[in-house]
Amino acid sequence: MKSWGEVPKAYAIMHANSLYNNMDPLVESVNNKEIKDKFRMHFNLELGAYNDKEADIYNLSRLQVSPYWSTNHVMMKIRQASRQNIQFKIGDQEVAQHWKVINGAAEHENNEITLTSAPSSEGRILLKEELPDQYNVNFAFKGNVVGQQAFYVNYDEKTNSYLRIVLVDNEIVISEKLPGGGIVEKERFPLNEIKWNEEEYAFNKATVYTYHDTQKGSRIDEEEYPRNLTEKRVFNIAINKDKIEIDVDNVLSETVQINPKLQGAQIGFGALYSNKNTSHEQYADDIYDTLIEDILITDKNNQTIFTNQYTNFEKVKYKSTELFNHVVDFFIETF
């Protein structure tokens, strides 16, 4: 910027990756001339956010951001492409200090934690406070259906052992990892099917498609959920010394025995993408966000150990602000 003395005029052609690649030569020639006459740089490729000094200033790469990505998801993509240290957004420092980030990034905002995984690996946070033998945990997962949203109990950081409850692709999977052992699946429970409209999954406008792609009308696997489909699942979990009782949406209710070798006293949350081993573009992203809302941990006497829920006053304030914003949006969109 300093060498130009101003913000340079830049252009990003639609569709990405087509110029200098498979475009008709006559069309390419006209585009190339007009772009270079009118702009000082051109983001032609959709490969990643990072461009080094060797890059062609008229054939730069850009990151195509999906609307459902969190701030830290974007930052994680930038770190992945640049291989440089990136400062992630933390949010509420007072709430964040209760948690330890094992991997990935966590943003604490209002009554939510947005946990972002690192590429191809799980994002994980642990509550620093050790919990008693008997307690209750209530929370809601609000991440995309295609992905792994995990809750850990009896977590022992020293031995890396735990019992794990995972909401993965609309199923509940219970696994355990004993000290010195591997992860072993114990039980699996399907949840009720989620209804969704195929037409709501739109084409990514900054991507090149073949004729076959466009004629199909969609790049989704009709037997799978689209990756941007979200669903809120409310969990109520009662932890005892030898068992846990799991309730999801007041529909699924299961009891799982706890192996006596699991002696940890911490809880945690995890976020991981689902590896589909498919060519479908919808599963291409190996970074995943989970939203954890309204965490409430209480002891056997119903005394609060930890919560990020709104107080009654905060809830009224939030709802009032949300209503006002909806009214403003309505007038902007309508008039």
Side-chain angles (χ1 to χ4, degrees), residues 203-216:
F203 277 95
N204 180 339
K205 294 182 179 179
T207 303
V208 171
Y209 306 106
T210 66
Y211 175 80
H212 180 65
D213 287 332
T214 58
Q215 294 307 300
K216 287 174 65 177

Side-chain angles (χ1 to χ4, degrees), residues 221-282:
D221 183 340
E222 294 180 357
E223 296 181 357
E224 298 281 358
Y225 294 115
R227 68 177 179 182
N228 57 350
L229 177 69
T230 61
E231 181 74 2
K232 181 177 179 179
R233 296 292 191 184
V234 178
F235 286 72
N236 295 288
I237 302 176
I239 295 93
N240 296 282
K241 193 169 185 178
D242 59 347
K243 66 180 180 180
I244 60 172
E245 297 172 357
I246 306 167
D247 180 276
V248 183
D249 292 339
N250 293 321
V251 175
L252 175 71
S253 183
E254 299 290 343
T255 299
V256 178
Q257 299 301 312
I258 297 178
N259 192 307
K261 294 181 180 179
L262 295 175
Q263 294 294 315
Q266 289 180 278
I267 66 159
F269 291 96
L272 179 65
Y273 85 113
S274 286
N275 185 0
K276 292 295 185 177
N277 293 319
T278 176
S279 60
H280 283 83
E281 185 273 340
Q282 72 180 101

Side-chain angles (χ1 to χ4, degrees), residues 55-114:
D56 182 348
I57 201 167
Y58 283 101
N59 196 28
L60 298 173
S61 177
R62 66 182 187 256
L63 175 64
Q64 181 63 31
V65 178
S66 295
Y68 59 86
W69 287 2
S70 69
T71 300
N72 285 338
H73 195 130
V74 177
M75 302 309 292
M76 194 68 74
K77 280 286 188 183
I78 293 173
R79 189 181 78 169
Q80 182 182 25
S82 66
R83 298 181 181 179
Q84 297 181 9
N85 290 329
I86 297 293
Q87 184 173 355
F88 294 104
K89 186 177 180 182
I90 296 174
D92 190 327
Q93 297 278 354
E94 185 176 345
V95 177
Q97 69 181 0
H98 291 278
W99 298 88
K100 178 180 180 180
V101 178
I102 303 299
N103 191 31
E107 178 186 355
H108 303 262
E109 193 71 31
N110 299 321
N111 63 331
E112 289 184 341
I113 300 174
T114 303

Side-chain angles (χ1 to χ4, degrees), residues 75 170 196 238 278 315:
M75 302 309 292
N170 205 40
W196 57 280
T278 176
K315 185 178 291 186

